[in-house]
Amino acid sequence: MTVQGFFRGWARRCLAGGAVVVISAALTVSVPDAGRTPLYNAAVRLAGTTLGVGGTIEGFALSIPFNFYGTIVPEGDRYRPVPYPGIAGVDIPIVSDLPVLSYLPYWPQSMTSSVDKGAFLLSRAIAAQPTDDKTTIIGMSQGSMVAETVRAEMAEDPEYVANADNYEFILLGNPYRPVGGIATRFNFFNDTPIERLLGVPIGRPGPADSPFKTTDYSNQYDPVSDFPAYFNPLSLANAAAGAVFQHAIPGYFLDDPNNPNRVETTVGNTTYVLLPQHLPLLYPFHVAASVVGMERFVDFAEPALRVLVEMGYDRTADPSQVSEFSLITPPEKIAEAVQQLPGAVAEGVEILGGKKYVPPAPPAPVVESPASEEPEAAELSSAAVARATENGSETPATTRDTRSKRGSLGANRLASRLANAISEALPGRATPRSDQTESEGETREARAGHPDSTSDKDSSNESKPAA
């Protein structure tokens, strides 16, 4: 295909989707009761607005309401998609930063530029909502990266902090998830030529926690948000299959957020939910066999195979602390798998005999409580609220200026990456991004979150398999 042919085809897609962009951005969609257990269990919830940001190649965000069997949008809420590029390509000089056009879905650019532009558009959509309105932000995959970037910026805005109860974030298949997120597993590539070459954000845009209630959902074995912790060929092959079955199709559309075997871990204002799933390696065979009621002839192999796959994961890691990928599987993980295999084989025999197999709950994480950081975090949070109270409803000029400059962040990041690659960047300069890492340059400063959590972690840390 010639370059001319590519752009001609792209233009046809844009013309076909242009009306969808305008209509989807303008329409208010009321989500009816889907007849399932509500995702939100609050006794009273005033109708508000839900803003949706789609994943890669889903820049129109039209599929967001269909997740969790159509129950992800709070009942009665108005749903408004936030169209953005939603693409993962390469930056083309000048073309990728053209005014207006580069903000349209599918406009050619890197994922880093796409996330930056999406953050600008989402920030603008949130700012347009009344501060006393209930606003829920849902991000899927790359859309979760957009939502996390904006959440970190909002944590620096005293007005948003003062009205934190009116904002809620729901993340699906989040690459920025501290433990398991593919962007954090390879945190050691942060600020290196590899990150700039790939054009993919690596690390995190800010702290794991924030003043805003957040629920971070991940399917087990979704490699975008549940990537293996250790090098294990079987775990990696299973994760590759999970990119299709656990992240894309059916992905989160047919998930039950109230799965009784789910594992919930709450750290501060953020709740991490891991939804147990069948092994992606066996999933297509399981589905085919279930059509004729013979799934036990596939499921009998899963317990033993699961033990070997789980050898590549650390399920007890604190989900709020970045955990990087390791080429070495700890000997204790190997010993643990050897001990569990006989029982798994025995369970497989029972399944052949007619026992129904249900994916079990993974082990619950162990949450660390850095008590030494809490007084400072509380002081910072109180100071932010106090400033907001003094200023009334006026947003500080510096914050408004930061949000108004988001449109130029793609160009700034491109210039910064080029300058660093030429004059400074060396492989040995890799600096892992953590909650305490200082931002670099104007763009990273705009994307960075508060250095400390604003919540009392001792009182709210919780890790448990759901009852």
Side-chain angles (χ1 to χ4, degrees):
M1 176 183 293
T2 64
V3 174
Q4 183 179 8
F6 168 78
F7 278 101
R8 191 160 48 234
W10 177 90
R12 285 197 297 267
R13 290 196 300 272
C14 280
L15 289 173
V20 178
V21 176
V22 175
I23 295 173
S24 64
L27 282 180
T28 293
V29 181
S30 294
V31 179
D33 183 5
R36 297 179 58 83
T37 304
L39 181 60
Y40 294 81
N41 295 319
V44 177
R45 189 191 193 280
L46 299 178
T49 299
T50 294
L51 303 174
V53 188
T56 304
I57 71 170
E58 220 285 274
F60 294 114
L62 299 179
S63 67
I64 292 291
F66 299 101
N67 286 287
F68 295 159
Y69 286 97
T71 66
I72 193 168
V73 176
E75 183 180 351
D77 262 21
R78 302 175 295 272
Y79 177 70
R80 298 184 185 277
V82 180
Y84 79 114
I87 198 167
V90 295
D91 281 324
I92 303 174
I94 302 178
V95 173
S96 294
D97 288 302
L98 287 174
V100 181
L101 292 176
S102 61
Y103 289 82
L104 295 176
Y106 312 123
W107 188 266
Q109 58 194 283
S110 67
M111 181 182 288
T112 298
S113 296
S114 174
V115 170
D116 283 337
K117 292 180 175 67
F120 166 74
L121 296 169
L122 178 59
S123 295
R124 189 172 62 178
I126 294 174
Q129 304 301 316
T131 56
D132 58 348
D133 189 17
K134 295 291 185 181
T135 302
T136 301
I137 299 95
I138 302 177
M140 166 64 192
S141 193
Q142 185 182 154
S144 292
M145 304 175 87
V146 171
E148 282 244 45
T149 302
V150 172
R151 189 186 71 154
E153 293 175 354
M154 291 173 62
E156 292 292 315
D157 188 323
E159 183 177 356
Y160 283 130
V161 173
N163 295 280
D165 290 344
N166 291 331
Y167 299 96
E168 182 169 352
F169 289 80
I170 300 175
L171 311 175
L172 305 176
N174 180 17
Y176 281 153
R177 189 176 171 102
V179 171
I182 195 167
T184 55
R185 282 295 195 209
F186 297 94
N187 193 55
F188 39 77
F189 288 134
N190 173 239
D191 288 335
T192 67
I194 292 179
E195 179 185 25
R196 292 184 280 275
L197 177 65
L198 295 176
V200 176
I202 297 177
R204 283 190 52 80
D209 197 23
S210 77
F212 313 103
K213 180 181 178 182
T214 303
T215 307
D216 189 327
Y217 291 95
S218 175
N219 275 337
Q220 191 177 21
Y221 309 125
D222 174 354
V224 176
S225 54
D226 189 35
F227 196 85
Y230 314 113
F231 179 80
N232 178 326
L234 190 58
S235 301
L236 294 173
N238 186 69
V244 177
F245 301 113
Q246 303 304 347
H247 187 74
I249 300 295
Y252 296 81
F253 294 114
L254 304 182
D255 276 345
D256 179 5
N258 300 307
N259 185 322
N261 284 340
R262 72 190 184 279
V263 175
E264 293 183 358
T265 308
T266 300
V267 183
N269 294 313
T270 304
T271 298
Y272 302 91
V273 182
L274 184 64
L275 301 171
Q277 302 291 341
H278 285 281
L279 292 175
L281 282 175
L282 298 178
Y283 184 79
F285 304 103
H286 170 83
V287 173
S290 64
V291 173
V292 292
M294 306 291 286
E295 58 265 35
R296 70 178 185 274
F297 292 105
V298 175
D299 291 348
F300 86 94
E302 185 157 323
L305 191 59
R306 181 181 291 267
V307 167
L308 300 177
V309 167
E310 284 292 313
M311 193 165 56
Y313 292 85
D314 181 8
R315 297 299 184 191
T316 60
D318 184 342
S320 67
Q321 304 296 319
V322 171
S323 175
E324 297 180 351
F325 182 74
S326 173
L327 292 175
I328 306 299
T329 300
E332 55 268 25
K333 292 292 297 183
I334 299 175
E336 178 183 314
V338 171
Q339 293 176 355
Q340 293 176 349
L341 269 177
V345 172
E347 184 179 6
V349 173
E350 294 177 359
I351 293 171
L352 274 178
K355 175 185 174 182
K356 182 175 177 58
Y357 179 74
V358 176
V366 178
V367 177
E368 302 173 5
S369 299
S372 60
E373 297 181 5
E374 291 173 7
E376 183 179 358
E379 181 179 347
L380 289 168
S381 178
S382 299
V385 174
R387 288 196 302 272
T389 303
E390 292 173 2
N391 294 335
S393 60
E394 182 180 358
T395 302
T398 53
T399 303
R400 290 198 305 269
D401 291 344
T402 298
R403 288 205 296 264
S404 68
K405 293 177 181 177
R406 289 292 306 187
S408 64
L409 284 181
N412 289 342
R413 284 189 62 83
L414 183 60
S416 175
R417 292 199 305 272
L418 182 59
N420 288 341
I422 294 175
S423 62
E424 296 181 8
L426 292 173
R429 289 176 58 86
T431 302
R433 180 183 297 170
S434 66
D435 293 354
Q436 290 77 34
T437 302
E438 279 195 292
S439 58
E440 179 179 346
E442 179 182 353
T443 301
R444 293 203 179 278
E445 187 174 279
R447 295 182 63 192
H450 205 284
D452 291 294
S453 169
T454 58
S455 61
D456 186 351
K457 296 182 179 180
D458 273 345
S459 62
S460 57
N461 290 353
E462 182 181 357
S463 175
K464 64 179 186 302

